[in-house]
Amino acid sequence: MTDQAAADLAPREWSAEPADVLLADGTVAVIRTLRADDREAVLALHESVSVDTLRLRFFSPSREAGRLYVDHLFSPGNSASAALVALVRGRVAGLATAELLSPDSAEVAFLVADEDRGRGLGSLLLEHLAALGRRHGVSRFVAEVLGDNHGMLGVFRAAGFAATRRTIAGEVEVELRTDASREAVEAADRREWRAAARSLRPLLHPTSVAVVGVRRSAGGFGHGVLAAIRSSPYAGALHVVHPEADVIDGLRTVRRLADLDAPVDLVVVTVPADGVADVLRDAAANGAGAAVVVSSGFSGTGSDERRSELLGLARAHSLRLVGPNSQGVLANGDGLDATLLHDVPAVGGLAVASQSGGMGFALLDLARDVGLGVQAFVSLGDKVDVSSNDLLAAWMDDESVTAGALYLESFGNALKFARTARRFAEHKPLLAVVGGRSRARQDPSASSTVGVGVDALLDQSGVIACRTGAELTETALLLVEQPLPAGLRVCIVSNTGGVGALTTDRADGQGMLVTPTSYGLGAAVRAAVPGAVDVRNPVDLGADVTPAELTAALRAVLDAGEADAVLVVLVANRLTDRAALFDAVARARPAGADVPLLLVTPGAAFDAARGLPGVTVYRTTDAAIGALGRAMRYAAWRRVPADQPEVELGTRGVHARTWARSRLAARRGEPEWLAPSAHAELLAPYGITLVGRLARGPDEAASVAAQIGYPVAVKVADPTVLHKSDRGLVRIDLRSGEDVADAVRRFADELGREDVDVLVQPLVLGHLASVGLVRDPQLGPLVRVASGAGPVGGWAEEVLLLPPVGVADAARAVRALRLWPQLVGDHGLEEVDLAPLEALVTSVGRLAVDVPHVADLTLEPVVVNAHGLFCVDVKLRIAEPPELDTGIPRRLRS
């Protein structure tokens, strides 16, 4: 081996922070770096496995082979190895090692205890070892596996890493890329979702419940929860724990949970804060599966240590923990109310998780008021352990849950939430109200609060963002009661013209299409209601429309196929029987109809109309139109095929990332604003070019201007020079070589230099936009697309996108800008081709993934006209990227 090769394989700091992980059966394990004091435990692992396991691992059934490998692993000369162990309840249950073959490759091997096979330990160890390798520049793993080692081959095959296999004489050589490819991320997420769902069964579907902290005297949280459980139709076992009393509220008590004959699924803790840890120890001794800590008092001095103590106890004993400061859990489908809620909604399909107990109760009250059934509710409290990500994983494949609703003020792992929420929303609606935005604006660096990218996160994940709890419940009601709209067309049917006109205005503001009825449909409505005032859309059937006429008219509209939703607005009067009219609306809906049917009836009539079969009823048009608009946008998101751009590094990405790394290394990691001469190195491979040409000094600048053609603009090209326009270092509309040379000489005088580098550009006119990257403390880089035009209606000023950005995402972003109507030729302007702008957005998203060292990027202005797209100015800074928690490899929040 050469000296250089030996240096390349010199000892590396291959260490990782301990990570709590969920096994496939819901057990919590720990993965950490191998330590010197692990020798006896690792040897015990090798001694405990069967002879056949030894054969599969070492190609020999000899136990001596295992002992020799342990000696090798712990020898002082083994500094080029990386090793991870998996601990289950403190026992070393798995081992993963990587022996360096070259600076970018390593040979890997795995051993899992026989008793722990089938729990997903091998997959978890591989994920964590690959992440450790990526961190240290190892891009390739190789492994030699016996052909009949189906378990290990299955782990490699299911991991999602790009892999090749070669079989020779009964042995399989496997080569894996360590990149966190889309397939690898998806495979890891699927395994984690299944494990999370399994771990939360004791919380969401408990067969036994224990309440700890009920006083002997009346009152307090404990009595409140106990009374709620006893008044609910829950049929499972109920235990009350008290250290002294024999009977409380007529129920026999036990002194400790550990005294019970069998483990309890769910423990509800209401003792004072300083006693919670002791209760969790008792629950651990019982083998309980989950605990909800209602107790408060975990804020202020020392609160972090106290919460850490609770988390440590829970994780050490695979006890899933909700709270502290929770308001309880409602397993409505199982009849369990273990909350402090006053009135419980009817059983239905909505599952609710709330970071605020009060806001959660408000959502449940609003759901009950509008007749929306609830399947489950979890008050997350301080989110020490169980988070909304966990609950979404448990609810996404639960057939009793038809929609999810969240109230959040923070994201434990925002990128993992984005993936989990998208998977949920692809199959069933997910609605969210996000609080804490004002706090985030006041302190953008606070990682515990929502950042500027929360809207991007929700939009791209398919989450239906709502401003208030009322909006959320109104929208959820429509989504659980009606089919998804197939498009944006709505037919408005009323018994008064004024209300129809106002409703049309509101629908138009939501982006709906209130198109006139066809001749045939108009004739059918006229035949059904001869006295109709107007059979166009909005349809005015007249104040004296009869129930039979209303049914016939609505059937004609529903059967015509001209509307993706039908909104009926009825104002009660003395000319007709309002109850009969309401029944007429319900009778109009044919069985199995796939068009949403909504009814708005204001005032006291609303209560009389509630409960109509097949019809969703609202008190106001604003509520109905708002809910329908959100449902239509969600349905449109669902109709677009999953647009998942590649996240793997291609040749272009490898070159760009290497270039940025090398440039920063030459500056010892100091950030750098790149000069235009360096922009091309990084941006040109992504199709991003700055219009114009560089020149030095007045003569060369004049020559370049002549070649470009007048008029031109000239600006100083040094990125370290600030406030160029204010200092006169930008000149536009120059029409001769003398003007150009004079401008450059003035630049030199202002800067005190003999010669300056300048950028000479043609004058480009057109629509103005801005594209770039901004950073969110939790989400990392976000692609920013902004309009440079004046205000147009209610269009967005800017849109943020979470990279990588697919073609569909880019198209949606451009169409949301206030610039959009001008680009498509509204207001008498020339229509332009949108493809170049959309391609620029996707390219910037690709750059953000490939080169995380791009700390700031602003392409502004970007001019779009009939001839194409032109980047007039670029500001680009590179810096060492902060480490971002993507949720890969899998680990529980700490």
Side-chain angles (χ1 to χ4, degrees):
M1 180 181 295
T2 66
D3 291 342
Q4 181 59 51
D8 289 340
L9 294 177
R12 302 185 182 191
E13 293 296 327
W14 277 49
S15 61
E17 290 294 321
D20 294 328
V21 296
L22 269 180
L23 304 187
D25 61 2
T27 301
V28 178
V30 178
I31 292 179
R32 62 163 171 80
T33 307
L34 182 73
R35 300 192 307 230
D37 58 359
D38 290 325
R39 181 186 179 92
E40 293 305 317
V42 171
L43 181 60
L45 170 66
H46 285 77
E47 294 290 334
S48 70
V49 298
S50 68
V51 171
D52 191 56
T53 298
L54 286 172
R55 179 186 66 82
L56 294 174
R57 166 62 183 87
F58 296 106
F59 295 20
S60 166
S62 168
R63 293 205 175 274
E64 187 62 23
R67 295 167 191 149
L68 290 173
Y69 185 73
V70 173
D71 288 341
H72 161 71
L73 196 58
F74 287 90
S75 66
N78 189 38
S79 55
S81 293
L84 297 174
V85 290
L87 286 76
V88 178
R89 298 188 184 276
R91 170 179 55 85
V92 173
L95 170 71
T97 59
E99 301 274 353
L100 289 173
L101 301 174
S102 69
D104 65 348
S105 67
E107 182 176 8
V108 295
F110 301 83
L111 182 67
V112 174
D114 292 344
E115 64 189 283
D116 294 296
R117 287 187 177 182
R119 306 176 80 181
L121 268 178
S123 297
L124 282 160
L125 284 166
L126 175 58
E127 287 177 34
H128 282 259
L129 195 61
L132 198 56
R134 287 195 299 271
R135 195 178 308 160
H136 293 282
V138 173
S139 60
R140 187 167 54 93
F141 281 168
V142 296
E144 299 288 342
V145 186
L146 284 176
D148 61 342
N149 192 348
H150 305 296
M152 198 67 246
L153 290 172
V155 167
F156 289 141
R157 186 168 49 251
F161 294 110
T164 58
R165 293 173 37 150
R166 185 176 61 174
T167 302
I168 301 175
E171 297 179 10
V172 182
E173 182 183 277
V174 180
E175 181 174 312
L176 302 172
R177 301 290 303 179
T178 63
D179 304 284
S181 65
R182 184 181 69 237
E183 290 78 8
V185 172
E186 288 178 349
D189 282 342
R190 285 194 299 269
R191 289 190 287 267
E192 182 162 39
W193 295 331
R194 289 193 296 267
R198 175 64 185 83
S199 74
L200 292 183
R201 282 198 63 82
L203 171 72
L204 300 176
H205 301 286
T207 59
S208 57
V209 180
V211 183
V212 186
V214 185
R215 303 172 186 168
R216 280 191 273 196
S217 58
F221 291 116
H223 273 284
V225 173
L226 182 60
I229 297 173
R230 297 186 73 184
S231 63
S232 71
Y234 179 63
L238 175 61
H239 306 282
V240 179
V241 179
H242 196 283
E244 298 173 354
D246 294 325
V247 177
I248 288 182
D249 287 355
L251 292 175
R252 299 287 301 177
T253 67
V254 293
R255 296 289 189 265
R256 300 183 311 146
L257 286 164
D259 294 338
L260 294 172
D261 294 333
V264 173
D265 277 344
L266 177 62
V267 180
V268 183
V269 184
T270 65
V271 302
D274 57 5
V276 172
D278 288 337
V279 174
L280 293 187
R281 291 186 185 92
D282 187 25
N286 166 263
V292 174
V293 179
V294 178
S295 314
S296 57
F298 288 86
S299 59
T301 303
S303 59
D304 289 344
E305 291 78 6
R306 298 170 78 184
R307 286 196 291 262
S308 294
E309 181 185 16
L310 301 188
L311 180 61
L313 285 167
R315 294 281 170 81
H317 298 89
S318 297
L319 178 73
R320 296 312 307 267
L321 177 64
V322 173
N325 199 29
S326 168
Q327 296 295 301
V329 59
L330 175 69
N332 220 17
D334 296 323
L336 174 67
D337 174 19
T339 73
L340 299 173
L341 186 67
H342 191 275
D343 298 300
V344 177
V347 178
L350 185 68
V352 182
S354 178
Q355 197 168 337
S356 160
M359 185 63 191
F361 284 179
L363 288 175
L364 296 185
D365 284 338
L366 288 166
R368 183 175 51 78
D369 288 346
V370 300
L372 176 61
V374 173
Q375 179 66 208
F377 164 71
V378 177
S379 169
L380 291 166
D382 292 347
K383 293 202 307 182
V384 165
D385 175 31
V386 174
S387 69
S388 56
N389 285 349
D390 298 311
L391 293 171
L392 290 179
W395 289 332
M396 66 172 61
D397 292 323
D398 186 338
E399 293 183 357
S400 65
V401 173
T402 55
L406 305 174
Y407 172 75
L408 299 172
E409 294 177 355
S410 64
F411 296 91
N413 188 305
L415 293 174
K416 182 185 290 186
F417 173 85
R419 299 194 303 271
T420 305
R422 183 173 190 120
R423 167 62 169 76
F424 190 103
E426 285 171 347
H427 296 84
K428 56 186 78 171
L430 177 59
L431 306 98
V433 175
V434 178
R437 294 172 184 259
S438 297
R439 197 177 345 159
R441 285 194 294 270
Q442 294 165 7
D443 183 10
S445 65
S447 61
S448 62
T449 59
V450 296
V452 297
V454 63
D455 292 322
L457 181 149
L458 298 179
D459 288 346
Q460 284 182 260
S461 302
V463 179
I464 303 168
C466 302
R467 296 171 299 174
T468 65
E471 283 188 357
L472 187 149
T473 51
E474 290 159 0
T475 308
L477 179 69
L478 178 64
L479 289 165
V480 300
E481 290 188 349
Q482 299 291 330
L484 287 177
L488 299 177
R489 302 172 302 168
V490 60
C491 183
I492 299 169
V493 180
S494 74
N495 63 346
T496 172
V499 169
L502 288 173
T503 304
T504 299
D505 292 342
R506 285 167 170 77
D508 183 68
Q510 287 281 341
M512 300 179 196
L513 302 176
V514 188
T515 54
T517 55
S518 66
Y519 175 82
L521 176 55
V525 173
R526 179 72 67 185
V529 189
V533 176
D534 193 343
V535 296
R536 297 170 298 175
N537 190 12
V539 176
D540 180 3
L541 299 178
D544 59 347
V545 63
T546 68
E549 290 174 335
L550 178 58
T551 296
L554 289 178
R555 281 182 178 167
V557 171
L558 289 166
D559 292 341
E562 295 183 18
D564 301 307
V566 177
L567 176 59
V568 183
V569 186
L570 295 179
V571 178
N573 58 51
R574 292 185 178 274
L575 299 176
T576 55
D577 180 345
R578 72 181 186 187
L581 284 179
F582 297 156
D583 290 338
V585 176
R587 287 197 305 272
R589 185 184 186 89
D594 58 358
V595 176
L597 180 59
L598 292 73
L599 170 64
V600 175
T601 183
F606 170 74
D607 290 329
R610 291 175 59 174
L612 287 174
V615 184
T616 299
V617 184
Y618 292 96
R619 190 186 302 272
T620 67
T621 54
D622 282 347
I625 289 293
L628 183 58
R630 286 183 284 274
M632 283 180 165
R633 289 189 290 274
Y634 169 66
W637 181 88
R638 282 270 296 262
R639 285 194 296 273
V640 175
D643 187 10
Q644 299 176 320
E646 294 294 323
V647 295
E648 296 87 348
L649 270 177
T651 303
R652 174 182 63 180
V654 170
H655 170 78
R657 186 177 294 186
T658 302
W659 184 89
R661 278 177 173 167
S662 300
R663 191 156 184 120
L664 285 168
R667 295 170 56 88
R668 300 183 181 276
E670 182 184 351
E672 178 186 9
W673 285 99
L674 296 182
S677 57
H679 291 164
E681 293 281 353
L682 200 54
L683 299 181
Y686 294 86
I688 304 171
T689 57
L690 184 62
V691 66
R693 289 168 51 187
L694 289 171
R696 166 160 285 202
D699 294 338
E700 186 177 347
S703 174
V704 169
Q707 296 171 37
I708 289 176
Y710 297 103
V712 298
V714 180
K715 66 184 71 171
V716 169
D718 187 344
T720 64
V721 176
L722 304 179
H723 311 296
K724 295 185 180 71
S725 296
D726 295 341
R727 297 176 62 182
L729 301 177
V730 178
R731 298 284 302 277
I732 63 172
D733 199 23
L734 302 179
R735 296 179 175 271
S736 69
E738 293 79 5
D739 290 343
V740 171
D742 180 64
V744 176
R745 281 191 287 269
R746 291 178 182 271
F747 295 167
D749 291 341
E750 169 66 22
L751 296 174
R753 303 176 187 172
E754 184 174 341
D755 278 321
V756 293
D757 291 330
V758 296
L759 182 63
V760 184
Q761 298 177 303
L763 285 184
V764 183
L765 302 178
H767 306 286
L768 304 181
S770 174
V771 181
L773 292 175
V774 297
R775 289 204 170 265
D776 181 274
Q778 295 185 79
L779 298 174
L782 297 170
V783 178
R784 175 181 176 270
V785 190
S787 175
V792 178
W795 302 92
E797 188 151 344
E798 71 172 18
V799 178
L800 297 175
L801 298 167
L802 195 65
V805 178
V807 174
D809 289 331
R812 278 194 289 261
V814 171
R815 283 156 179 76
L817 293 175
R818 66 184 185 185
L819 178 64
W820 160 253
Q822 298 180 34
L823 295 175
V824 295
D826 285 1
H827 311 293
L829 299 173
E830 182 181 15
E831 183 176 358
V832 301
D833 184 6
L834 298 173
L837 182 57
E838 294 169 0
L840 178 63
V841 174
T842 58
S843 292
V844 171
R846 180 71 255 177
L847 176 67
V849 173
D850 288 352
V851 193
H853 311 78
V854 177
D856 296 280
L857 173 64
T858 302
L859 308 174
E860 185 181 67
V862 172
V863 180
V864 185
N865 61 29
H867 302 288
L869 178 145
F870 305 88
C871 294
V872 176
D873 200 12
V874 177
K875 295 182 178 67
L876 174 58
R877 184 173 69 95
I878 58 174
E880 291 294 344
E883 190 165 346
L884 197 63
D885 185 3
T886 64
I888 297 297
R890 289 174 284 161
R891 61 186 299 156
L892 290 166
R893 279 188 319 122
S894 57

